[in-house]
């Protein structure tokens, strides 16, 4: 439904949340105005929670809503972001606080957490160590690091710079100057740090190699260093259609996942990126294997229940549609045209009481259209046909119920296929429910 960048995974309760940036359509630079959040319980169907935080939420910021990360502590959620600072003219690190992983979030400081007027203050990463000490790191081409107080919105110490060496962060050869043919050695670290810990060893994952970027990592026994280069995790490839990369790693329900971004969506590219994910297994010593990018995605780890209210913005795959949000309705699906569709994966018709009807909440300003609910594919068994009338406005919502025929098997991907006059927008959709 939109371009997403710089994924930052976080587990809270039974759900996995992803915090992302947002590349605007038709951008010719990193024109990013807001952050977005998505969540899942099965790794296949993702609910779009919209944008809980934007540049406008920071009185001191005016541009460049770049790579974020969110973390939970003591029932609060701390959302760290980089922004261009009106105060200093450089990039700065801000923090917003919320009571829910989906916000709303508030800039409780009313000023940057860190702002020294320089341009290397981007890509914050945060972790809480085993002893309860929280750490924040950020930077391109430097790495700042500092201890946070337990309030998570102030520093316990002055931020310092990690010593970036070729021993600690790998070695590559680059021209000595723009016009020189002589090569010199420099560390591979570029940007996008991600702090984690495994088997008692700290891991710092990062975008490396300059432009185009690959993903590498380094390890240390202490966050005070020294660091040792661990190698390449995801090799650089022109096949990703993006000259940048940015990663986040998380364990969820017994699985390990590596998130990154590509330019693979239609009209995608270096300034129109989209989040991707691969499942992987750590090596026996806790080190990273080489992770290849794929277009398949990951397998679902649970089945999806069709009963109860399901937001239409809970999507495994879609064509053509967009999402919007407002204070009254929240997030809903829009920009629906003839032959667009939404897929919900691995829907479980076996364990639930067999549904016999489906209700949708829809709105249409002019002409309406039809929803075909199909099992298995775009041409699969028709489970229901729902006629959406004009409701008197694009946010004048009406509930429409239609009979539902149970599918022939217990588990199917379900497709909501949209039909109507070719060309115009047909309707908006808020939620559906099978009963």
């Amino acid at each position: 439904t939109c371009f997403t960048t710089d994924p930052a995974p976080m587990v809270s309760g039974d759900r996995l949340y992803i915090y992302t940036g947002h590349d605007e359509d038709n951008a010719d630079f990193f024109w990013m105005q807001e952050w977005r959040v998505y969540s899942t319980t099965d790794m296949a169907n993702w609910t779009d929670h919209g944008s809980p935080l934007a540049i406008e939420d920071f009185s001191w910021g005016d541009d460049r809503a770049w790579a974020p990360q969110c973390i939970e502590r003591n029932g609060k959620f701390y959302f760290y972001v980089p922004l261009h600072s009106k105060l200093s003219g450089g990039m700065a690190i801000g923090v917003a606080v919320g009571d829910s992983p989906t916000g709303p979030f508030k800039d409780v400081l009313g000023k940057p957490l860190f702002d020294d007027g320089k341009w290397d203050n981007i890509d914050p990463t945060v972790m809480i160590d085993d002893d309860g000490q929280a750490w924040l790191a950020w930077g391109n081409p430097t790495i700042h690091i500092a201890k946070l107080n337990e309030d998570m919105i102030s520093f316990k110490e002055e931020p310092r710079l990690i010593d970036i060496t070729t021993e600690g962060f790998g070695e590559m050869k680059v021209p000595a100057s723009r016009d020189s043919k002589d090569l010199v050695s420099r560390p591979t670290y570029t940007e996008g740090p991600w702090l984690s810990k495994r088997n008692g060893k700290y891991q710092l994952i990062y975008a490396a190699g300059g432009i185009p970027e690959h993903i590498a990592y380094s390890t240390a026994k202490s966050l005070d260093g020294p660091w040792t280069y661990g190698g390449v995790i995801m090799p650089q490839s022109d096949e990703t259609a993006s000259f940048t990369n940015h990663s986040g790693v998380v364990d969820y329900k017994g699985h390990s996942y590596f998130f990154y971004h590509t330019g693979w969506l239609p009209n995608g590219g270096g300034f129109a990126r989209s989040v991707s994910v691969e499942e992987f297994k750590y090596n026996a010593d806790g080190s990273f294997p080489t992770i290849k990018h794929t277009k398949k995605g990951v397998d679902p780890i649970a089945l999806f229940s069709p009963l109860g209210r399901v937001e239409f913005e809970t999507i495994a795959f879609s064509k053509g549609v967009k999402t919007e949000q407002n204070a009254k309705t929240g997030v809903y699906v829009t920009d629906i045209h003839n032959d667009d569709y939404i897929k919900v994966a691995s829907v479980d018709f076996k364990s639930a009481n067999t549904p016999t009807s489906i209700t949708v909440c829809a709105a249409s300003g002019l002409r309406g259209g039809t929803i075909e609910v199909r099992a298995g594919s775009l041409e699969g068994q028709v489970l229901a046909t729902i006629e959406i009338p004009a409701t008197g406005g694009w946010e004048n919502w009406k509930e429409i119920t239609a009979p539902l025929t149970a599918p022939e098997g217990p588990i199917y991907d379900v497709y909501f296929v949209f039909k109507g006059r070719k060309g115009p927008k047909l309707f908006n959709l808020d939620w559906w429910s099978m009963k």
Side-chain angles (χ1 to χ4, degrees), residues 42-44 46 256-260 262 264 275-280 291-301 316-317 343:
D42 59 20
M43 294 304 295
W46 292 83
S256 296
Y257 294 104
F258 180 89
F259 289 85
Y260 60 106
T262 72
W264 281 339
V275 169
S276 296
V277 59
E278 309 293 341
E279 185 173 358
F280 73 98
I291 300 173
K292 300 293 182 64
H293 53 79
T294 73
K295 293 185 178 180
K296 176 181 178 297
V298 299
D299 294 328
I301 58 174
F317 198 83
K343 182 181 88 170

Short mmCIF file of all heavy atoms in Angstrom, two decimals, residues 42-44 46 256-260 262 264 275-280 291-301 316-317 343:
data_model
loop_
_atom_site.label_atom_id
_atom_site.label_comp_id
_atom_site.label_asym_id
_atom_site.label_seq_id
_atom_site.Cartn_x
_atom_site.Cartn_y
_atom_site.Cartn_z
N ASP A 42 1.46 -13.86 12.85
CA ASP A 42 1.71 -15.08 12.08
C ASP A 42 2.79 -14.92 11.00
O ASP A 42 3.07 -15.87 10.27
CB ASP A 42 0.41 -15.60 11.44
CG ASP A 42 -0.24 -14.57 10.51
OD1 ASP A 42 0.44 -13.62 10.06
OD2 ASP A 42 -1.45 -14.72 10.24
N MET A 43 3.37 -13.75 10.86
CA MET A 43 4.42 -13.45 9.90
C MET A 43 3.94 -13.44 8.45
O MET A 43 4.75 -13.24 7.53
CB MET A 43 5.61 -14.42 10.04
CG MET A 43 6.35 -14.28 11.35
SD MET A 43 6.98 -12.61 11.68
CE MET A 43 8.17 -12.40 10.36
N ALA A 44 2.65 -13.64 8.22
CA ALA A 44 2.12 -13.62 6.86
C ALA A 44 1.16 -12.47 6.65
O ALA A 44 1.18 -11.81 5.61
CB ALA A 44 1.42 -14.94 6.53
N TRP A 46 -0.14 -8.84 7.86
CA TRP A 46 0.36 -7.68 8.58
C TRP A 46 -0.73 -6.61 8.66
O TRP A 46 -1.32 -6.25 7.64
CB TRP A 46 1.59 -7.11 7.89
CG TRP A 46 2.77 -8.02 7.98
CD1 TRP A 46 3.05 -9.10 7.18
CD2 TRP A 46 3.82 -7.96 8.94
NE1 TRP A 46 4.22 -9.70 7.59
CE2 TRP A 46 4.71 -9.03 8.67
CE3 TRP A 46 4.09 -7.10 10.02
CZ2 TRP A 46 5.85 -9.26 9.43
CZ3 TRP A 46 5.23 -7.33 10.77
CH2 TRP A 46 6.10 -8.40 10.47
N SER A 256 14.03 -16.91 14.09
CA SER A 256 14.89 -15.74 13.96
C SER A 256 14.65 -15.10 12.60
O SER A 256 14.63 -15.79 11.57
CB SER A 256 16.37 -16.13 14.10
OG SER A 256 16.63 -16.64 15.39
N TYR A 257 14.48 -13.77 12.60
CA TYR A 257 14.13 -13.06 11.37
C TYR A 257 15.08 -11.90 11.12
O TYR A 257 15.46 -11.17 12.04
CB TYR A 257 12.70 -12.54 11.45
CG TYR A 257 11.67 -13.64 11.50
CD1 TYR A 257 11.03 -13.96 12.71
CD2 TYR A 257 11.34 -14.38 10.37
CE1 TYR A 257 10.08 -14.97 12.77
CE2 TYR A 257 10.40 -15.39 10.43
CZ TYR A 257 9.78 -15.69 11.62
OH TYR A 257 8.85 -16.70 11.68
N PHE A 258 15.42 -11.73 9.85
CA PHE A 258 16.29 -10.65 9.39
C PHE A 258 15.48 -9.75 8.46
O PHE A 258 15.02 -10.20 7.40
CB PHE A 258 17.49 -11.25 8.64
CG PHE A 258 18.47 -10.24 8.10
CD1 PHE A 258 19.52 -9.82 8.89
CD2 PHE A 258 18.35 -9.75 6.82
CE1 PHE A 258 20.44 -8.89 8.41
CE2 PHE A 258 19.27 -8.83 6.32
CZ PHE A 258 20.31 -8.40 7.12
N PHE A 259 15.27 -8.51 8.87
CA PHE A 259 14.52 -7.54 8.07
C PHE A 259 15.49 -6.61 7.35
O PHE A 259 16.54 -6.23 7.89
CB PHE A 259 13.60 -6.71 8.98
CG PHE A 259 12.43 -7.48 9.52
CD1 PHE A 259 12.55 -8.26 10.67
CD2 PHE A 259 11.20 -7.43 8.88
CE1 PHE A 259 11.47 -8.96 11.17
CE2 PHE A 259 10.11 -8.13 9.38
CZ PHE A 259 10.25 -8.90 10.52
N TYR A 260 15.11 -6.19 6.15
CA TYR A 260 15.93 -5.30 5.33
C TYR A 260 15.01 -4.60 4.35
O TYR A 260 13.78 -4.75 4.43
CB TYR A 260 17.03 -6.10 4.61
CG TYR A 260 16.51 -7.17 3.68
CD1 TYR A 260 16.55 -7.00 2.30
CD2 TYR A 260 15.97 -8.37 4.18
CE1 TYR A 260 16.08 -7.99 1.43
CE2 TYR A 260 15.49 -9.35 3.32
CZ TYR A 260 15.54 -9.16 1.95
OH TYR A 260 15.06 -10.13 1.10
N THR A 262 14.33 -3.34 0.03
CA THR A 262 14.67 -3.45 -1.38
C THR A 262 13.91 -2.38 -2.15
O THR A 262 13.15 -1.60 -1.58
CB THR A 262 14.26 -4.84 -1.94
OG1 THR A 262 12.83 -4.89 -2.05
CG2 THR A 262 14.75 -5.97 -1.05
N TRP A 264 11.79 -3.41 -4.70
CA TRP A 264 11.09 -4.40 -5.52
C TRP A 264 9.63 -4.09 -5.82
O TRP A 264 9.05 -4.70 -6.71
CB TRP A 264 11.17 -5.77 -4.84
CG TRP A 264 12.48 -6.46 -5.05
CD1 TRP A 264 13.39 -6.21 -6.02
CD2 TRP A 264 13.02 -7.51 -4.25
NE1 TRP A 264 14.48 -7.04 -5.89
CE2 TRP A 264 14.28 -7.85 -4.81
CE3 TRP A 264 12.58 -8.19 -3.13
CZ2 TRP A 264 15.07 -8.86 -4.28
CZ3 TRP A 264 13.37 -9.20 -2.60
CH2 TRP A 264 14.61 -9.52 -3.17
N VAL A 275 10.07 -2.86 2.67
CA VAL A 275 10.62 -3.77 3.67
C VAL A 275 10.46 -5.22 3.23
O VAL A 275 9.41 -5.61 2.71
CB VAL A 275 9.93 -3.53 5.02
CG1 VAL A 275 10.28 -4.64 6.02
CG2 VAL A 275 10.33 -2.17 5.58
N SER A 276 11.48 -6.01 3.46
CA SER A 276 11.47 -7.45 3.19
C SER A 276 11.97 -8.18 4.44
O SER A 276 12.55 -7.57 5.33
CB SER A 276 12.37 -7.78 2.00
OG SER A 276 11.88 -7.20 0.81
N VAL A 277 11.75 -9.51 4.47
CA VAL A 277 12.17 -10.29 5.64
C VAL A 277 12.57 -11.68 5.21
O VAL A 277 11.98 -12.26 4.28
CB VAL A 277 11.05 -10.33 6.71
CG1 VAL A 277 9.78 -10.94 6.14
CG2 VAL A 277 11.49 -11.11 7.94
N GLU A 278 13.60 -12.22 5.86
CA GLU A 278 14.03 -13.60 5.66
C GLU A 278 14.15 -14.28 7.03
O GLU A 278 14.61 -13.67 8.00
CB GLU A 278 15.40 -13.67 4.97
CG GLU A 278 15.53 -12.85 3.70
CD GLU A 278 14.67 -13.35 2.57
OE1 GLU A 278 14.24 -14.52 2.62
OE2 GLU A 278 14.43 -12.56 1.63
N GLU A 279 13.76 -15.55 7.08
CA GLU A 279 14.02 -16.35 8.27
C GLU A 279 15.40 -16.97 8.14
O GLU A 279 15.84 -17.33 7.05
CB GLU A 279 12.98 -17.45 8.45
CG GLU A 279 13.16 -18.23 9.74
CD GLU A 279 12.04 -19.23 10.02
OE1 GLU A 279 11.09 -19.29 9.23
OE2 GLU A 279 12.14 -19.94 11.05
N PHE A 280 16.12 -17.10 9.28
CA PHE A 280 17.45 -17.69 9.26
C PHE A 280 17.71 -18.40 10.58
O PHE A 280 16.95 -18.26 11.54
CB PHE A 280 18.51 -16.61 9.01
CG PHE A 280 18.76 -15.70 10.20
CD1 PHE A 280 19.83 -15.92 11.06
CD2 PHE A 280 17.90 -14.64 10.48
CE1 PHE A 280 20.06 -15.10 12.16
CE2 PHE A 280 18.12 -13.81 11.57
CZ PHE A 280 19.19 -14.05 12.42
N ILE A 291 22.97 -14.50 4.59
CA ILE A 291 21.52 -14.49 4.35
C ILE A 291 21.28 -13.93 2.96
O ILE A 291 21.69 -12.81 2.65
CB ILE A 291 20.80 -13.65 5.41
CG1 ILE A 291 21.04 -14.23 6.81
CG2 ILE A 291 19.30 -13.59 5.12
CD1 ILE A 291 20.50 -13.38 7.94
N LYS A 292 20.63 -14.71 2.12
CA LYS A 292 20.32 -14.28 0.76
C LYS A 292 18.95 -13.62 0.72
O LYS A 292 18.02 -14.04 1.40
CB LYS A 292 20.34 -15.48 -0.18
CG LYS A 292 21.68 -16.22 -0.23
CD LYS A 292 22.75 -15.37 -0.86
CE LYS A 292 24.08 -16.10 -0.96
NZ LYS A 292 24.02 -17.28 -1.84
N HIS A 293 18.81 -12.59 -0.09
CA HIS A 293 17.51 -11.96 -0.27
C HIS A 293 16.67 -12.79 -1.22
O HIS A 293 17.16 -13.38 -2.18
CB HIS A 293 17.67 -10.54 -0.80
CG HIS A 293 18.52 -10.45 -2.05
ND1 HIS A 293 18.03 -10.77 -3.29
CD2 HIS A 293 19.80 -10.10 -2.22
CE1 HIS A 293 18.99 -10.61 -4.19
NE2 HIS A 293 20.08 -10.20 -3.56
N THR A 294 15.37 -12.89 -0.92
CA THR A 294 14.43 -13.60 -1.78
C THR A 294 13.16 -12.79 -1.90
O THR A 294 12.86 -11.95 -1.06
CB THR A 294 14.07 -14.99 -1.22
OG1 THR A 294 13.20 -14.83 -0.09
CG2 THR A 294 15.30 -15.77 -0.80
N LYS A 295 12.38 -13.08 -2.94
CA LYS A 295 11.08 -12.43 -3.10
C LYS A 295 9.95 -13.25 -2.49
O LYS A 295 8.81 -12.82 -2.48
CB LYS A 295 10.81 -12.16 -4.58
CG LYS A 295 11.75 -11.12 -5.17
CD LYS A 295 11.39 -10.78 -6.60
CE LYS A 295 12.33 -9.70 -7.14
NZ LYS A 295 12.00 -9.34 -8.54
N LYS A 296 10.28 -14.43 -1.98
CA LYS A 296 9.25 -15.32 -1.44
C LYS A 296 8.70 -14.80 -0.12
O LYS A 296 7.52 -14.94 0.19
CB LYS A 296 9.83 -16.72 -1.26
CG LYS A 296 8.85 -17.71 -0.60
CD LYS A 296 9.51 -19.07 -0.44
CE LYS A 296 8.58 -20.06 0.28
NZ LYS A 296 8.25 -19.65 1.63
N GLY A 297 9.54 -14.21 0.71
CA GLY A 297 9.13 -13.89 2.06
C GLY A 297 9.27 -15.11 2.96
O GLY A 297 9.97 -16.07 2.62
N VAL A 298 8.60 -15.08 4.10
CA VAL A 298 8.74 -16.18 5.06
C VAL A 298 7.42 -16.94 5.17
O VAL A 298 6.35 -16.44 4.84
CB VAL A 298 9.17 -15.66 6.45
CG1 VAL A 298 10.52 -14.96 6.36
CG2 VAL A 298 8.13 -14.71 7.04
N ASP A 299 7.52 -18.17 5.66
CA ASP A 299 6.33 -19.00 5.82
C ASP A 299 5.52 -18.53 7.04
O ASP A 299 6.09 -18.09 8.04
CB ASP A 299 6.72 -20.46 6.02
CG ASP A 299 7.36 -21.05 4.78
OD1 ASP A 299 7.00 -20.63 3.67
OD2 ASP A 299 8.24 -21.93 4.93
N PRO A 300 4.19 -18.66 6.98
CA PRO A 300 3.38 -18.34 8.16
C PRO A 300 3.68 -19.29 9.30
O PRO A 300 3.97 -20.47 9.08
CB PRO A 300 1.94 -18.50 7.65
CG PRO A 300 2.04 -19.37 6.44
CD PRO A 300 3.37 -19.08 5.83
N ILE A 301 3.64 -18.78 10.52
CA ILE A 301 3.92 -19.61 11.70
C ILE A 301 2.65 -19.89 12.49
O ILE A 301 2.71 -20.52 13.54
CB ILE A 301 4.98 -18.95 12.59
CG1 ILE A 301 4.53 -17.56 13.05
CG2 ILE A 301 6.32 -18.86 11.88
CD1 ILE A 301 5.47 -16.90 14.05
N ALA A 316 -1.83 -9.84 3.59
CA ALA A 316 -0.64 -10.61 3.24
C ALA A 316 -0.05 -10.11 1.93
O ALA A 316 1.17 -10.11 1.75
CB ALA A 316 -0.98 -12.10 3.12
N PHE A 317 -0.92 -9.74 1.00
CA PHE A 317 -0.48 -9.21 -0.29
C PHE A 317 -1.63 -8.42 -0.87
O PHE A 317 -2.80 -8.69 -0.58
CB PHE A 317 -0.07 -10.34 -1.24
CG PHE A 317 0.78 -9.89 -2.39
CD1 PHE A 317 2.15 -9.73 -2.23
CD2 PHE A 317 0.21 -9.62 -3.62
CE1 PHE A 317 2.93 -9.30 -3.29
CE2 PHE A 317 1.00 -9.19 -4.69
CZ PHE A 317 2.36 -9.03 -4.52
N LYS A 343 -5.17 -10.06 -0.42
CA LYS A 343 -5.07 -11.46 -0.02
C LYS A 343 -4.80 -11.56 1.48
O LYS A 343 -3.97 -10.83 2.02
CB LYS A 343 -3.93 -12.16 -0.77
CG LYS A 343 -3.81 -13.65 -0.42
CD LYS A 343 -2.66 -14.32 -1.17
CE LYS A 343 -1.35 -14.20 -0.41
NZ LYS A 343 -0.29 -15.05 -1.00
#
